[in-house]
mmCIF file with all atom_site columns, all heavy atoms in Angstrom:
data_model
loop_
_atom_site.group_PDB
_atom_site.id
_atom_site.type_symbol
_atom_site.label_atom_id
_atom_site.label_alt_id
_atom_site.label_comp_id
_atom_site.label_asym_id
_atom_site.label_entity_id
_atom_site.label_seq_id
_atom_site.pdbx_PDB_ins_code
_atom_site.Cartn_x
_atom_site.Cartn_y
_atom_site.Cartn_z
_atom_site.occupancy
_atom_site.B_iso_or_equiv
_atom_site.pdbx_formal_charge
_atom_site.auth_seq_id
_atom_site.auth_comp_id
_atom_site.auth_asym_id
_atom_site.auth_atom_id
_atom_site.pdbx_PDB_model_num
ATOM 1   N N   . VAL G 1 1  ? -5.759  -4.225 12.932 1.00 0.00 ? 1  VAL G N   1
ATOM 2   C CA  . VAL G 1 1  ? -5.724  -3.053 12.094 1.00 0.00 ? 1  VAL G CA  1
ATOM 3   C C   . VAL G 1 1  ? -6.921  -2.139 12.306 1.00 0.00 ? 1  VAL G C   1
ATOM 4   O O   . VAL G 1 1  ? -6.785  -0.908 12.432 1.00 0.00 ? 1  VAL G O   1
ATOM 5   C CB  . VAL G 1 1  ? -5.661  -3.526 10.617 1.00 0.00 ? 1  VAL G CB  1
ATOM 6   C CG1 . VAL G 1 1  ? -5.825  -2.400 9.655  1.00 0.00 ? 1  VAL G CG1 1
ATOM 7   C CG2 . VAL G 1 1  ? -4.339  -4.199 10.326 1.00 0.00 ? 1  VAL G CG2 1
ATOM 8   N N   . ALA G 1 2  ? -8.134  -2.741 12.367 1.00 0.00 ? 2  ALA G N   1
ATOM 9   C CA  . ALA G 1 2  ? -9.292  -1.881 12.514 1.00 0.00 ? 2  ALA G CA  1
ATOM 10  C C   . ALA G 1 2  ? -9.262  -1.211 13.913 1.00 0.00 ? 2  ALA G C   1
ATOM 11  O O   . ALA G 1 2  ? -9.689  0.003  13.969 1.00 0.00 ? 2  ALA G O   1
ATOM 12  C CB  . ALA G 1 2  ? -10.578 -2.795 12.471 1.00 0.00 ? 2  ALA G CB  1
ATOM 13  N N   . ALA G 1 3  ? -8.827  -1.855 14.928 1.00 0.00 ? 3  ALA G N   1
ATOM 14  C CA  . ALA G 1 3  ? -8.783  -1.231 16.289 1.00 0.00 ? 3  ALA G CA  1
ATOM 15  C C   . ALA G 1 3  ? -7.777  -0.019 16.263 1.00 0.00 ? 3  ALA G C   1
ATOM 16  O O   . ALA G 1 3  ? -8.004  1.026  16.879 1.00 0.00 ? 3  ALA G O   1
ATOM 17  C CB  . ALA G 1 3  ? -8.323  -2.257 17.318 1.00 0.00 ? 3  ALA G CB  1
ATOM 18  N N   . HIS G 1 4  ? -6.523  -0.178 15.603 1.00 0.00 ? 4  HIS G N   1
ATOM 19  C CA  . HIS G 1 4  ? -5.626  0.820  15.599 1.00 0.00 ? 4  HIS G CA  1
ATOM 20  C C   . HIS G 1 4  ? -6.090  2.003  14.794 1.00 0.00 ? 4  HIS G C   1
ATOM 21  O O   . HIS G 1 4  ? -6.037  3.205  15.325 1.00 0.00 ? 4  HIS G O   1
ATOM 22  C CB  . HIS G 1 4  ? -4.269  0.297  15.005 1.00 0.00 ? 4  HIS G CB  1
ATOM 23  C CG  . HIS G 1 4  ? -3.316  1.356  14.676 1.00 0.00 ? 4  HIS G CG  1
ATOM 24  N ND1 . HIS G 1 4  ? -2.615  1.951  15.624 1.00 0.00 ? 4  HIS G ND1 1
ATOM 25  C CD2 . HIS G 1 4  ? -2.937  1.931  13.448 1.00 0.00 ? 4  HIS G CD2 1
ATOM 26  C CE1 . HIS G 1 4  ? -1.787  2.877  15.072 1.00 0.00 ? 4  HIS G CE1 1
ATOM 27  N NE2 . HIS G 1 4  ? -2.029  2.853  13.784 1.00 0.00 ? 4  HIS G NE2 1
ATOM 28  N N   . GLU G 1 5  ? -6.771  1.834  13.690 1.00 0.00 ? 5  GLU G N   1
ATOM 29  C CA  . GLU G 1 5  ? -7.171  2.868  12.755 1.00 0.00 ? 5  GLU G CA  1
ATOM 30  C C   . GLU G 1 5  ? -8.257  3.597  13.502 1.00 0.00 ? 5  GLU G C   1
ATOM 31  O O   . GLU G 1 5  ? -8.463  4.774  13.347 1.00 0.00 ? 5  GLU G O   1
ATOM 32  C CB  . GLU G 1 5  ? -7.541  2.327  11.411 1.00 0.00 ? 5  GLU G CB  1
ATOM 33  C CG  . GLU G 1 5  ? -6.331  1.813  10.608 1.00 0.00 ? 5  GLU G CG  1
ATOM 34  C CD  . GLU G 1 5  ? -6.706  1.411  9.276  1.00 0.00 ? 5  GLU G CD  1
ATOM 35  O OE1 . GLU G 1 5  ? -7.956  1.407  8.903  1.00 0.00 ? 5  GLU G OE1 1
ATOM 36  O OE2 . GLU G 1 5  ? -5.710  1.072  8.458  1.00 0.00 ? 5  GLU G OE2 1
ATOM 37  N N   . ALA G 1 6  ? -9.211  2.857  14.220 1.00 0.00 ? 6  ALA G N   1
ATOM 38  C CA  . ALA G 1 6  ? -10.289 3.503  14.858 1.00 0.00 ? 6  ALA G CA  1
ATOM 39  C C   . ALA G 1 6  ? -9.727  4.421  15.942 1.00 0.00 ? 6  ALA G C   1
ATOM 40  O O   . ALA G 1 6  ? -10.246 5.560  16.152 1.00 0.00 ? 6  ALA G O   1
ATOM 41  C CB  . ALA G 1 6  ? -11.230 2.462  15.510 1.00 0.00 ? 6  ALA G CB  1
ATOM 42  N N   . GLU G 1 7  ? -8.738  4.109  16.673 1.00 0.00 ? 7  GLU G N   1
ATOM 43  C CA  . GLU G 1 7  ? -8.116  5.022  17.676 1.00 0.00 ? 7  GLU G CA  1
ATOM 44  C C   . GLU G 1 7  ? -7.567  6.195  17.017 1.00 0.00 ? 7  GLU G C   1
ATOM 45  O O   . GLU G 1 7  ? -7.792  7.386  17.540 1.00 0.00 ? 7  GLU G O   1
ATOM 46  C CB  . GLU G 1 7  ? -6.988  4.191  18.349 1.00 0.00 ? 7  GLU G CB  1
ATOM 47  C CG  . GLU G 1 7  ? -6.362  5.100  19.401 1.00 0.00 ? 7  GLU G CG  1
ATOM 48  C CD  . GLU G 1 7  ? -5.120  4.343  20.072 1.00 0.00 ? 7  GLU G CD  1
ATOM 49  O OE1 . GLU G 1 7  ? -4.861  3.148  19.800 1.00 0.00 ? 7  GLU G OE1 1
ATOM 50  O OE2 . GLU G 1 7  ? -4.443  4.983  20.935 1.00 0.00 ? 7  GLU G OE2 1
ATOM 51  N N   . VAL G 1 8  ? -6.845  5.965  15.939 1.00 0.00 ? 8  VAL G N   1
ATOM 52  C CA  . VAL G 1 8  ? -6.249  7.251  15.274 1.00 0.00 ? 8  VAL G CA  1
ATOM 53  C C   . VAL G 1 8  ? -7.386  8.028  14.636 1.00 0.00 ? 8  VAL G C   1
ATOM 54  O O   . VAL G 1 8  ? -7.342  9.425  14.737 1.00 0.00 ? 8  VAL G O   1
ATOM 55  C CB  . VAL G 1 8  ? -5.207  6.835  14.199 1.00 0.00 ? 8  VAL G CB  1
ATOM 56  C CG1 . VAL G 1 8  ? -4.647  7.996  13.528 1.00 0.00 ? 8  VAL G CG1 1
ATOM 57  C CG2 . VAL G 1 8  ? -4.121  5.966  14.840 1.00 0.00 ? 8  VAL G CG2 1
ATOM 58  N N   . THR G 1 9  ? -8.388  7.499  14.058 1.00 0.00 ? 9  THR G N   1
ATOM 59  C CA  . THR G 1 9  ? -9.381  8.317  13.433 1.00 0.00 ? 9  THR G CA  1
ATOM 60  C C   . THR G 1 9  ? -10.259 8.975  14.486 1.00 0.00 ? 9  THR G C   1
ATOM 61  O O   . THR G 1 9  ? -10.584 10.192 14.267 1.00 0.00 ? 9  THR G O   1
ATOM 62  C CB  . THR G 1 9  ? -10.375 7.308  12.678 1.00 0.00 ? 9  THR G CB  1
ATOM 63  O OG1 . THR G 1 9  ? -9.698  6.568  11.678 1.00 0.00 ? 9  THR G OG1 1
ATOM 64  C CG2 . THR G 1 9  ? -11.513 8.067  11.907 1.00 0.00 ? 9  THR G CG2 1
ATOM 65  N N   . GLN G 1 10 ? -10.525 8.422  15.615 1.00 0.00 ? 10 GLN G N   1
ATOM 66  C CA  . GLN G 1 10 ? -11.146 9.222  16.727 1.00 0.00 ? 10 GLN G CA  1
ATOM 67  C C   . GLN G 1 10 ? -10.365 10.331 17.192 1.00 0.00 ? 10 GLN G C   1
ATOM 68  O O   . GLN G 1 10 ? -10.869 11.470 17.388 1.00 0.00 ? 10 GLN G O   1
ATOM 69  C CB  . GLN G 1 10 ? -11.481 8.197  17.851 1.00 0.00 ? 10 GLN G CB  1
ATOM 70  C CG  . GLN G 1 10 ? -12.195 8.895  18.972 1.00 0.00 ? 10 GLN G CG  1
ATOM 71  C CD  . GLN G 1 10 ? -13.611 9.493  18.630 1.00 0.00 ? 10 GLN G CD  1
ATOM 72  O OE1 . GLN G 1 10 ? -14.211 8.979  17.665 1.00 0.00 ? 10 GLN G OE1 1
ATOM 73  N NE2 . GLN G 1 10 ? -13.995 10.515 19.164 1.00 0.00 ? 10 GLN G NE2 1
ATOM 74  N N   . ALA G 1 11 ? -9.055  10.143 17.296 1.00 0.00 ? 11 ALA G N   1
ATOM 75  C CA  . ALA G 1 11 ? -8.138  11.306 17.683 1.00 0.00 ? 11 ALA G CA  1
ATOM 76  C C   . ALA G 1 11 ? -8.186  12.358 16.607 1.00 0.00 ? 11 ALA G C   1
ATOM 77  O O   . ALA G 1 11 ? -8.155  13.535 16.985 1.00 0.00 ? 11 ALA G O   1
ATOM 78  C CB  . ALA G 1 11 ? -6.617  10.755 17.844 1.00 0.00 ? 11 ALA G CB  1
ATOM 79  N N   . LEU G 1 12 ? -8.252  12.039 15.354 1.00 0.00 ? 12 LEU G N   1
ATOM 80  C CA  . LEU G 1 12 ? -8.363  13.008 14.263 1.00 0.00 ? 12 LEU G CA  1
ATOM 81  C C   . LEU G 1 12 ? -9.674  13.746 14.359 1.00 0.00 ? 12 LEU G C   1
ATOM 82  O O   . LEU G 1 12 ? -9.632  14.974 14.223 1.00 0.00 ? 12 LEU G O   1
ATOM 83  C CB  . LEU G 1 12 ? -8.291  12.240 12.982 1.00 0.00 ? 12 LEU G CB  1
ATOM 84  C CG  . LEU G 1 12 ? -8.364  13.090 11.694 1.00 0.00 ? 12 LEU G CG  1
ATOM 85  C CD1 . LEU G 1 12 ? -7.314  14.131 11.627 1.00 0.00 ? 12 LEU G CD1 1
ATOM 86  C CD2 . LEU G 1 12 ? -8.212  12.211 10.422 1.00 0.00 ? 12 LEU G CD2 1
ATOM 87  N N   . VAL G 1 13 ? -10.784 13.127 14.624 1.00 0.00 ? 13 VAL G N   1
ATOM 88  C CA  . VAL G 1 13 ? -12.086 13.829 14.712 1.00 0.00 ? 13 VAL G CA  1
ATOM 89  C C   . VAL G 1 13 ? -12.061 14.683 15.839 1.00 0.00 ? 13 VAL G C   1
ATOM 90  O O   . VAL G 1 13 ? -12.429 15.900 15.782 1.00 0.00 ? 13 VAL G O   1
ATOM 91  C CB  . VAL G 1 13 ? -13.258 12.762 14.913 1.00 0.00 ? 13 VAL G CB  1
ATOM 92  C CG1 . VAL G 1 13 ? -14.499 13.472 15.329 1.00 0.00 ? 13 VAL G CG1 1
ATOM 93  C CG2 . VAL G 1 13 ? -13.475 11.906 13.589 1.00 0.00 ? 13 VAL G CG2 1
ATOM 94  N N   . GLU G 1 14 ? -11.459 14.361 16.962 1.00 0.00 ? 14 GLU G N   1
ATOM 95  C CA  . GLU G 1 14 ? -11.429 15.179 18.141 1.00 0.00 ? 14 GLU G CA  1
ATOM 96  C C   . GLU G 1 14 ? -10.477 16.339 17.992 1.00 0.00 ? 14 GLU G C   1
ATOM 97  O O   . GLU G 1 14 ? -10.900 17.550 18.375 1.00 0.00 ? 14 GLU G O   1
ATOM 98  C CB  . GLU G 1 14 ? -11.004 14.379 19.426 1.00 0.00 ? 14 GLU G CB  1
ATOM 99  C CG  . GLU G 1 14 ? -12.034 13.296 19.803 1.00 0.00 ? 14 GLU G CG  1
ATOM 100 C CD  . GLU G 1 14 ? -11.424 12.456 20.959 1.00 0.00 ? 14 GLU G CD  1
ATOM 101 O OE1 . GLU G 1 14 ? -10.241 12.641 21.311 1.00 0.00 ? 14 GLU G OE1 1
ATOM 102 O OE2 . GLU G 1 14 ? -12.216 11.535 21.300 1.00 0.00 ? 14 GLU G OE2 1
ATOM 103 N N   . ALA G 1 15 ? -9.334  16.192 17.263 1.00 0.00 ? 15 ALA G N   1
ATOM 104 C CA  . ALA G 1 15 ? -8.447  17.222 17.051 1.00 0.00 ? 15 ALA G CA  1
ATOM 105 C C   . ALA G 1 15 ? -8.960  18.321 16.130 1.00 0.00 ? 15 ALA G C   1
ATOM 106 O O   . ALA G 1 15 ? -8.907  19.562 16.439 1.00 0.00 ? 15 ALA G O   1
ATOM 107 C CB  . ALA G 1 15 ? -7.189  16.723 16.570 1.00 0.00 ? 15 ALA G CB  1
ATOM 108 N N   . LEU G 1 16 ? -9.681  17.857 15.058 1.00 0.00 ? 16 LEU G N   1
ATOM 109 C CA  . LEU G 1 16 ? -10.317 18.827 14.172 1.00 0.00 ? 16 LEU G CA  1
ATOM 110 C C   . LEU G 1 16 ? -11.380 19.555 14.757 1.00 0.00 ? 16 LEU G C   1
ATOM 111 O O   . LEU G 1 16 ? -11.624 20.755 14.503 1.00 0.00 ? 16 LEU G O   1
ATOM 112 C CB  . LEU G 1 16 ? -10.680 18.042 12.863 1.00 0.00 ? 16 LEU G CB  1
ATOM 113 C CG  . LEU G 1 16 ? -9.572  17.486 11.933 1.00 0.00 ? 16 LEU G CG  1
ATOM 114 C CD1 . LEU G 1 16 ? -10.168 16.692 10.819 1.00 0.00 ? 16 LEU G CD1 1
ATOM 115 C CD2 . LEU G 1 16 ? -8.691  18.591 11.507 1.00 0.00 ? 16 LEU G CD2 1
ATOM 116 N N   . SER G 1 17 ? -12.253 18.847 15.609 1.00 0.00 ? 17 SER G N   1
ATOM 117 C CA  . SER G 1 17 ? -13.424 19.508 16.204 1.00 0.00 ? 17 SER G CA  1
ATOM 118 C C   . SER G 1 17 ? -12.967 20.487 17.266 1.00 0.00 ? 17 SER G C   1
ATOM 119 O O   . SER G 1 17 ? -13.777 21.376 17.530 1.00 0.00 ? 17 SER G O   1
ATOM 120 C CB  . SER G 1 17 ? -14.189 18.319 16.919 1.00 0.00 ? 17 SER G CB  1
ATOM 121 O OG  . SER G 1 17 ? -14.706 17.439 15.991 1.00 0.00 ? 17 SER G OG  1
ATOM 122 N N   . ALA G 1 18 ? -11.792 20.426 17.656 1.00 0.00 ? 18 ALA G N   1
ATOM 123 C CA  . ALA G 1 18 ? -11.314 21.439 18.712 1.00 0.00 ? 18 ALA G CA  1
ATOM 124 C C   . ALA G 1 18 ? -10.831 22.725 18.065 1.00 0.00 ? 18 ALA G C   1
ATOM 125 O O   . ALA G 1 18 ? -10.576 23.695 18.779 1.00 0.00 ? 18 ALA G O   1
ATOM 126 C CB  . ALA G 1 18 ? -10.188 20.788 19.555 1.00 0.00 ? 18 ALA G CB  1
ATOM 127 N N   . ILE G 1 19 ? -10.765 22.788 16.713 1.00 0.00 ? 19 ILE G N   1
ATOM 128 C CA  . ILE G 1 19 ? -10.305 23.996 16.158 1.00 0.00 ? 19 ILE G CA  1
ATOM 129 C C   . ILE G 1 19 ? -11.520 24.716 15.636 1.00 0.00 ? 19 ILE G C   1
ATOM 130 O O   . ILE G 1 19 ? -12.311 24.308 14.711 1.00 0.00 ? 19 ILE G O   1
ATOM 131 C CB  . ILE G 1 19 ? -9.349  23.640 14.863 1.00 0.00 ? 19 ILE G CB  1
ATOM 132 C CG1 . ILE G 1 19 ? -8.183  22.841 15.396 1.00 0.00 ? 19 ILE G CG1 1
ATOM 133 C CG2 . ILE G 1 19 ? -8.895  24.901 14.193 1.00 0.00 ? 19 ILE G CG2 1
ATOM 134 C CD1 . ILE G 1 19 ? -7.237  22.340 14.179 1.00 0.00 ? 19 ILE G CD1 1
ATOM 135 N N   . PRO G 1 20 ? -11.833 25.974 16.137 1.00 0.00 ? 20 PRO G N   1
ATOM 136 C CA  . PRO G 1 20 ? -13.097 26.634 15.833 1.00 0.00 ? 20 PRO G CA  1
ATOM 137 C C   . PRO G 1 20 ? -13.315 26.938 14.374 1.00 0.00 ? 20 PRO G C   1
ATOM 138 O O   . PRO G 1 20 ? -14.478 26.878 13.940 1.00 0.00 ? 20 PRO G O   1
ATOM 139 C CB  . PRO G 1 20 ? -12.940 27.961 16.655 1.00 0.00 ? 20 PRO G CB  1
ATOM 140 C CG  . PRO G 1 20 ? -11.973 27.637 17.724 1.00 0.00 ? 20 PRO G CG  1
ATOM 141 C CD  . PRO G 1 20 ? -10.981 26.697 17.108 1.00 0.00 ? 20 PRO G CD  1
ATOM 142 N N   . GLN G 1 21 ? -12.319 27.112 13.596 1.00 0.00 ? 21 GLN G N   1
ATOM 143 C CA  . GLN G 1 21 ? -12.524 27.433 12.086 1.00 0.00 ? 21 GLN G CA  1
ATOM 144 C C   . GLN G 1 21 ? -12.742 26.209 11.252 1.00 0.00 ? 21 GLN G C   1
ATOM 145 O O   . GLN G 1 21 ? -13.008 26.350 10.110 1.00 0.00 ? 21 GLN G O   1
ATOM 146 C CB  . GLN G 1 21 ? -11.295 28.209 11.650 1.00 0.00 ? 21 GLN G CB  1
ATOM 147 C CG  . GLN G 1 21 ? -11.043 29.586 12.326 1.00 0.00 ? 21 GLN G CG  1
ATOM 148 C CD  . GLN G 1 21 ? -10.303 29.436 13.573 1.00 0.00 ? 21 GLN G CD  1
ATOM 149 O OE1 . GLN G 1 21 ? -10.007 28.370 14.116 1.00 0.00 ? 21 GLN G OE1 1
ATOM 150 N NE2 . GLN G 1 21 ? -9.794  30.588 14.080 1.00 0.00 ? 21 GLN G NE2 1
ATOM 151 N N   . VAL G 1 22 ? -12.675 25.067 11.845 1.00 0.00 ? 22 VAL G N   1
ATOM 152 C CA  . VAL G 1 22 ? -12.835 23.789 11.019 1.00 0.00 ? 22 VAL G CA  1
ATOM 153 C C   . VAL G 1 22 ? -14.215 23.312 11.150 1.00 0.00 ? 22 VAL G C   1
ATOM 154 O O   . VAL G 1 22 ? -14.868 23.319 12.252 1.00 0.00 ? 22 VAL G O   1
ATOM 155 C CB  . VAL G 1 22 ? -11.830 22.736 11.535 1.00 0.00 ? 22 VAL G CB  1
ATOM 156 C CG1 . VAL G 1 22 ? -12.143 21.291 10.950 1.00 0.00 ? 22 VAL G CG1 1
ATOM 157 C CG2 . VAL G 1 22 ? -10.401 23.084 11.292 1.00 0.00 ? 22 VAL G CG2 1
ATOM 158 N N   . ARG G 1 23 ? -14.814 22.932 10.016 1.00 0.00 ? 23 ARG G N   1
ATOM 159 C CA  . ARG G 1 23 ? -16.140 22.340 9.839  1.00 0.00 ? 23 ARG G CA  1
ATOM 160 C C   . ARG G 1 23 ? -15.970 20.938 9.376  1.00 0.00 ? 23 ARG G C   1
ATOM 161 O O   . ARG G 1 23 ? -15.533 20.823 8.238  1.00 0.00 ? 23 ARG G O   1
ATOM 162 C CB  . ARG G 1 23 ? -17.049 23.253 8.976  1.00 0.00 ? 23 ARG G CB  1
ATOM 163 C CG  . ARG G 1 23 ? -18.300 22.655 8.576  1.00 0.00 ? 23 ARG G CG  1
ATOM 164 C CD  . ARG G 1 23 ? -18.956 23.293 7.516  1.00 0.00 ? 23 ARG G CD  1
ATOM 165 N NE  . ARG G 1 23 ? -20.053 22.634 6.892  1.00 0.00 ? 23 ARG G NE  1
ATOM 166 C CZ  . ARG G 1 23 ? -20.751 22.835 5.769  1.00 0.00 ? 23 ARG G CZ  1
ATOM 167 N NH1 . ARG G 1 23 ? -20.241 23.849 4.993  1.00 0.00 ? 23 ARG G NH1 1
ATOM 168 N NH2 . ARG G 1 23 ? -21.745 22.110 5.284  1.00 0.00 ? 23 ARG G NH2 1
ATOM 169 N N   . LEU G 1 24 ? -16.402 19.949 10.142 1.00 0.00 ? 24 LEU G N   1
ATOM 170 C CA  . LEU G 1 24 ? -16.334 18.610 9.674  1.00 0.00 ? 24 LEU G CA  1
ATOM 171 C C   . LEU G 1 24 ? -17.558 18.435 8.677  1.00 0.00 ? 24 LEU G C   1
ATOM 172 O O   . LEU G 1 24 ? -18.626 18.885 8.875  1.00 0.00 ? 24 LEU G O   1
ATOM 173 C CB  . LEU G 1 24 ? -16.561 17.703 10.851 1.00 0.00 ? 24 LEU G CB  1
ATOM 174 C CG  . LEU G 1 24 ? -15.359 17.643 11.854 1.00 0.00 ? 24 LEU G CG  1
ATOM 175 C CD1 . LEU G 1 24 ? -15.650 16.465 12.915 1.00 0.00 ? 24 LEU G CD1 1
ATOM 176 C CD2 . LEU G 1 24 ? -14.119 17.502 11.281 1.00 0.00 ? 24 LEU G CD2 1
ATOM 177 N N   . ILE G 1 25 ? -17.284 17.693 7.631  1.00 0.00 ? 25 ILE G N   1
ATOM 178 C CA  . ILE G 1 25 ? -18.293 17.372 6.632  1.00 0.00 ? 25 ILE G CA  1
ATOM 179 C C   . ILE G 1 25 ? -18.711 15.857 6.866  1.00 0.00 ? 25 ILE G C   1
ATOM 180 O O   . ILE G 1 25 ? -17.992 15.078 6.574  1.00 0.00 ? 25 ILE G O   1
ATOM 181 C CB  . ILE G 1 25 ? -17.738 17.538 5.213  1.00 0.00 ? 25 ILE G CB  1
ATOM 182 C CG1 . ILE G 1 25 ? -17.295 18.960 5.020  1.00 0.00 ? 25 ILE G CG1 1
ATOM 183 C CG2 . ILE G 1 25 ? -18.838 17.249 4.205  1.00 0.00 ? 25 ILE G CG2 1
ATOM 184 C CD1 . ILE G 1 25 ? -18.290 20.131 5.188  1.00 0.00 ? 25 ILE G CD1 1
ATOM 185 N N   . GLY G 1 26 ? -19.870 15.765 7.409  1.00 0.00 ? 26 GLY G N   1
ATOM 186 C CA  . GLY G 1 26 ? -20.415 14.408 7.676  1.00 0.00 ? 26 GLY G CA  1
ATOM 187 C C   . GLY G 1 26 ? -20.002 13.922 9.193  1.00 0.00 ? 26 GLY G C   1
ATOM 188 O O   . GLY G 1 26 ? -18.824 14.117 9.454  1.00 0.00 ? 26 GLY G O   1
ATOM 189 N N   . THR G 1 27 ? -21.022 13.474 9.921  1.00 0.00 ? 27 THR G N   1
ATOM 190 C CA  . THR G 1 27 ? -20.690 12.942 11.165 1.00 0.00 ? 27 THR G CA  1
ATOM 191 C C   . THR G 1 27 ? -21.366 11.575 11.286 1.00 0.00 ? 27 THR G C   1
ATOM 192 O O   . THR G 1 27 ? -22.361 11.380 12.091 1.00 0.00 ? 27 THR G O   1
ATOM 193 C CB  . THR G 1 27 ? -21.237 13.892 12.309 1.00 0.00 ? 27 THR G CB  1
ATOM 194 O OG1 . THR G 1 27 ? -22.672 14.151 12.080 1.00 0.00 ? 27 THR G OG1 1
ATOM 195 C CG2 . THR G 1 27 ? -20.490 15.159 12.300 1.00 0.00 ? 27 THR G CG2 1
ATOM 196 N N   . PRO G 1 28 ? -20.964 10.603 10.483 1.00 0.00 ? 28 PRO G N   1
ATOM 197 C CA  . PRO G 1 28 ? -21.682 9.281  10.473 1.00 0.00 ? 28 PRO G CA  1
ATOM 198 C C   . PRO G 1 28 ? -21.577 8.619  11.878 1.00 0.00 ? 28 PRO G C   1
ATOM 199 O O   . PRO G 1 28 ? -20.653 8.805  12.606 1.00 0.00 ? 28 PRO G O   1
ATOM 200 C CB  . PRO G 1 28 ? -20.958 8.534  9.341  1.00 0.00 ? 28 PRO G CB  1
ATOM 201 C CG  . PRO G 1 28 ? -19.637 9.175  9.339  1.00 0.00 ? 28 PRO G CG  1
ATOM 202 C CD  . PRO G 1 28 ? -19.832 10.641 9.633  1.00 0.00 ? 28 PRO G CD  1
ATOM 203 N N   . ARG G 1 29 ? -22.591 7.733  12.109 1.00 0.00 ? 29 ARG G N   1
ATOM 204 C CA  . ARG G 1 29 ? -22.599 6.978  13.305 1.00 0.00 ? 29 ARG G CA  1
ATOM 205 C C   . ARG G 1 29 ? -21.397 6.108  13.371 1.00 0.00 ? 29 ARG G C   1
ATOM 206 O O   . ARG G 1 29 ? -20.839 5.730  14.557 1.00 0.00 ? 29 ARG G O   1
ATOM 207 C CB  . ARG G 1 29 ? -23.865 6.233  13.393 1.00 0.00 ? 29 ARG G CB  1
ATOM 208 C CG  . ARG G 1 29 ? -25.071 7.136  13.543 1.00 0.00 ? 29 ARG G CG  1
ATOM 209 C CD  . ARG G 1 29 ? -26.412 6.290  13.639 1.00 0.00 ? 29 ARG G CD  1
ATOM 210 N NE  . ARG G 1 29 ? -27.485 7.165  13.845 1.00 0.00 ? 29 ARG G NE  1
ATOM 211 C CZ  . ARG G 1 29 ? -28.105 7.812  12.886 1.00 0.00 ? 29 ARG G CZ  1
ATOM 212 N NH1 . ARG G 1 29 ? -27.731 7.712  11.691 1.00 0.00 ? 29 ARG G NH1 1
ATOM 213 N NH2 . ARG G 1 29 ? -29.185 8.559  13.207 1.00 0.00 ? 29 ARG G NH2 1
ATOM 214 N N   . GLU G 1 30 ? -20.998 5.554  12.322 1.00 0.00 ? 30 GLU G N   1
ATOM 215 C CA  . GLU G 1 30 ? -19.759 4.617  12.303 1.00 0.00 ? 30 GLU G CA  1
ATOM 216 C C   . GLU G 1 30 ? -18.848 5.161  11.138 1.00 0.00 ? 30 GLU G C   1
ATOM 217 O O   . GLU G 1 30 ? -19.343 5.254  10.049 1.00 0.00 ? 30 GLU G O   1
ATOM 218 C CB  . GLU G 1 30 ? -20.125 3.130  12.065 1.00 0.00 ? 30 GLU G CB  1
ATOM 219 C CG  . GLU G 1 30 ? -18.898 2.242  12.184 1.00 0.00 ? 30 GLU G CG  1
ATOM 220 C CD  . GLU G 1 30 ? -19.381 0.777  12.059 1.00 0.00 ? 30 GLU G CD  1
ATOM 221 O OE1 . GLU G 1 30 ? -20.513 0.517  11.967 1.00 0.00 ? 30 GLU G OE1 1
ATOM 222 O OE2 . GLU G 1 30 ? -18.434 -0.031 12.041 1.00 0.00 ? 30 GLU G OE2 1
ATOM 223 N N   . ARG G 1 31 ? -17.598 5.418  11.447 1.00 0.00 ? 31 ARG G N   1
ATOM 224 C CA  . ARG G 1 31 ? -16.725 6.009  10.396 1.00 0.00 ? 31 ARG G CA  1
ATOM 225 C C   . ARG G 1 31 ? -15.527 5.055  10.338 1.00 0.00 ? 31 ARG G C   1
ATOM 226 O O   . ARG G 1 31 ? -15.017 4.526  11.292 1.00 0.00 ? 31 ARG G O   1
ATOM 227 C CB  . ARG G 1 31 ? -16.263 7.384  10.857 1.00 0.00 ? 31 ARG G CB  1
ATOM 228 C CG  . ARG G 1 31 ? -15.405 8.117  9.926  1.00 0.00 ? 31 ARG G CG  1
ATOM 229 C CD  . ARG G 1 31 ? -14.694 9.300  10.677 1.00 0.00 ? 31 ARG G CD  1
ATOM 230 N NE  . ARG G 1 31 ? -15.677 10.357 11.043 1.00 0.00 ? 31 ARG G NE  1
ATOM 231 C CZ  . ARG G 1 31 ? -16.229 11.381 10.412 1.00 0.00 ? 31 ARG G CZ  1
ATOM 232 N NH1 . ARG G 1 31 ? -15.744 11.552 9.092  1.00 0.00 ? 31 ARG G NH1 1
ATOM 233 N NH2 . ARG G 1 31 ? -16.967 12.230 10.876 1.00 0.00 ? 31 ARG G NH2 1
ATOM 234 N N   . ALA G 1 32 ? -14.877 5.098  9.113  1.00 0.00 ? 32 ALA G N   1
ATOM 235 C CA  . ALA G 1 32 ? -13.659 4.265  8.878  1.00 0.00 ? 32 ALA G CA  1
ATOM 236 C C   . ALA G 1 32 ? -12.637 5.193  8.220  1.00 0.00 ? 32 ALA G C   1
ATOM 237 O O   . ALA G 1 32 ? -12.783 5.409  6.963  1.00 0.00 ? 32 ALA G O   1
ATOM 238 C CB  . ALA G 1 32 ? -13.965 3.049  8.038  1.00 0.00 ? 32 ALA G CB  1
ATOM 239 N N   . SER G 1 33 ? -11.752 5.544  8.959  1.00 0.00 ? 33 SER G N   1
ATOM 240 C CA  . SER G 1 33 ? -10.379 6.123  8.423  1.00 0.00 ? 33 SER G CA  1
ATOM 241 C C   . SER G 1 33 ? -10.446 7.307  7.483  1.00 0.00 ? 33 SER G C   1
ATOM 242 O O   . SER G 1 33 ? -9.406  7.553  6.886  1.00 0.00 ? 33 SER G O   1
ATOM 243 C CB  . SER G 1 33 ? -9.743  4.917  7.667  1.00 0.00 ? 33 SER G CB  1
ATOM 244 O OG  . SER G 1 33 ? -9.567  3.854  8.504  1.00 0.00 ? 33 SER G OG  1
#
């Protein structure tokens, strides 16, 4: 479960970071879901 969610969460971070108008709130060293 943790491995699957880590893959999807990383894809989410990358997708949001690619949109110029989006600002991520918090960039922790380890993130969960």
Side-chain angles (χ1 to χ4, degrees):
V1 169
H4 169 76
E5 291 184 355
E7 178 185 357
V8 178
T9 301
Q10 182 59 34
L12 177 58
V13 170
E14 292 174 358
L16 292 175
S17 299
I19 302 174
Q21 296 86 348
V22 170
R23 171 193 168 195
L24 297 185
I25 304 299
T27 56
R29 292 176 177 83
E30 186 177 357
R31 185 195 297 271
S33 302

